[in-house]
Amino acid sequence: VPGNYEITYTFKTGYLEKKITRNVEVVPKADFDANTDGVPVLMYHYVYTDTNRPETLNSNYISDVKLREQLTYLKDNEYYFPSFDELRAYVDGKIALPAKSVILTFDDGKSYFLENGIPILNEFEVPATSFVIGTKKGPEIIKEYATEYVAFESHSYDMHKAGGNIGHGGVISAMTKDQIVNDLNMAIEMTGSSNAFAFPYGDITDDGKAAVAEAGIDVAFSTVNDKVYVGDDFRALCRVRINGDISLGSYMASL
């Protein structure tokens, strides 16, 4: 029914739990500018500044200046930031999403994102997800860096390492389904959430996809460079990679 509604839900990530209220305007279907071109789930990694930068830069590092430029564009153009629940419903064909929809994700939970990226997201009040690794200080990161604008989800508990024989050689291809499910459940306990999972190195197997479903994870992501479309496999969704040297024009074109 068209009208203005106030929706309250609980945002929980690790040690942080907060009730958030959204004002939603429901409009007639004919007036709704719905998304027909796919939803970009952006894949970032690390953020650096002039005073905190690595000795060697690669495409995984984006400057704070460029990140601010991109967030300014998203805010000025009134982009909508759907939750993973909404993304799953969109993939399943149950709901439409606004034409200007985008999700921001940051992989690995390294200090360059935690110390340089999170403060910028807080400043712009733009929600994002940090995919953290349990054995790489995951619990400590979630406790220390909890914020209402950054949700912590699983990049596995202990699968972000070599040992397999497909893709980038991640260990997941050498694991059974039950072993993967066990790892995913440990990560869910760590983050307090089963909303999303990012496959380590982007290596995906049939057992890995089956484990995602068995663990009750809403959406899982690869590193394949593409948007998310209605009808996609929720266990292996694509993301749009954001390289550190991307121009604003190219960034705009990727959305």
Side-chain angles (χ1 to χ4, degrees):
V1 178
N4 291 301
Y5 298 89
E6 188 175 89
I7 299 175
T8 300
Y9 62 96
T10 299
F11 175 92
K12 182 178 181 182
T13 176
Y15 295 87
L16 179 68
E17 183 170 328
K18 181 177 181 179
K19 290 191 179 296
I20 295 177
T21 298
R22 266 183 165 178
N23 292 312
V24 178
E25 181 183 3
V26 178
V27 300
K29 187 174 182 180
D31 298 334
F32 179 60
D33 187 13
N35 183 300
T36 58
D37 297 323
V39 175
V41 178
L42 307 185
M43 180 178 66
Y44 296 84
H45 284 79
Y46 322 128
V47 183
Y48 72 93
T49 68
D50 284 339
T51 58
N52 185 10
R53 57 189 294 155
E55 293 183 4
T56 302
L57 287 176
N58 59 44
S59 61
N60 283 338
Y61 290 88
I62 188 170
S63 73
D64 61 328
V65 175
K66 279 189 176 289
L67 181 59
R68 287 177 180 278
E69 185 180 53
Q70 293 169 7
L71 296 183
T72 296
Y73 175 78
L74 296 179
K75 294 283 283 189
D76 287 350
N77 287 274
E78 299 182 337
Y79 269 77
Y80 180 71
F81 306 100
S83 67
F84 289 124
D85 284 343
E86 290 171 310
L87 184 67
R88 173 64 182 275
Y90 168 83
V91 168
D92 290 345
K94 295 179 180 179
I95 66 169
L97 286 173
K100 292 181 178 180
S101 293
V102 64
I103 295 175
L104 280 66
T105 67
F106 292 78
D107 283 7
D108 300 343
K110 288 192 174 181
S111 61
Y112 285 102
F113 167 68
L114 301 171
E115 297 175 7
N116 301 328
I118 288 180
I120 297 174
L121 293 164
N122 288 341
E123 175 187 339
F124 278 81
E125 298 183 346
V126 169
T129 293
S130 173
F131 286 115
V132 295
I133 305 160
T135 55
K136 297 184 179 180
K137 298 184 178 180
E140 294 91 336
I141 289 169
I142 293 170
K143 185 175 183 178
E144 181 176 353
Y145 292 95
T147 162
E148 64 182 287
Y149 291 106
V150 177
F152 293 101
E153 297 288 349
S154 167
H155 205 12
S156 82
Y157 195 86
D158 189 24
M159 294 192 293
H160 202 285
K161 58 187 180 183
N165 54 14
I166 68 164
H168 295 90
V171 72
I172 192 170
S173 63
M175 298 172 65
T176 67
K177 178 179 70 70
D178 288 344
Q179 288 173 327
I180 300 170
V181 169
N182 182 63
D183 183 282
L184 294 178
N185 284 333
M186 290 175 65
I188 289 170
E189 183 177 356
M190 171 187 70
T191 61
S193 171
S194 58
N195 288 333
F197 166 63
F199 280 93
Y201 307 122
D203 291 345
I204 298 179
T205 65
D206 288 341
D207 280 342
K209 290 191 290 186
V212 164
E214 185 170 327
I217 294 171
D218 291 333
V219 289
F221 296 98
S222 70
T223 56
V224 176
N225 192 42
D226 203 351
K227 295 180 181 180
V228 173
Y229 299 94
V230 175
D232 282 352
D233 185 346
F234 77 90
R235 305 170 302 172
L237 299 177
C238 298
R239 287 188 287 174
V240 176
R241 185 181 182 90
I242 302 300
N243 291 324
D245 59 356
I246 191 172
S247 68
L248 182 59
S250 295
Y251 181 82
M252 293 163 56
S254 72
L255 299 174

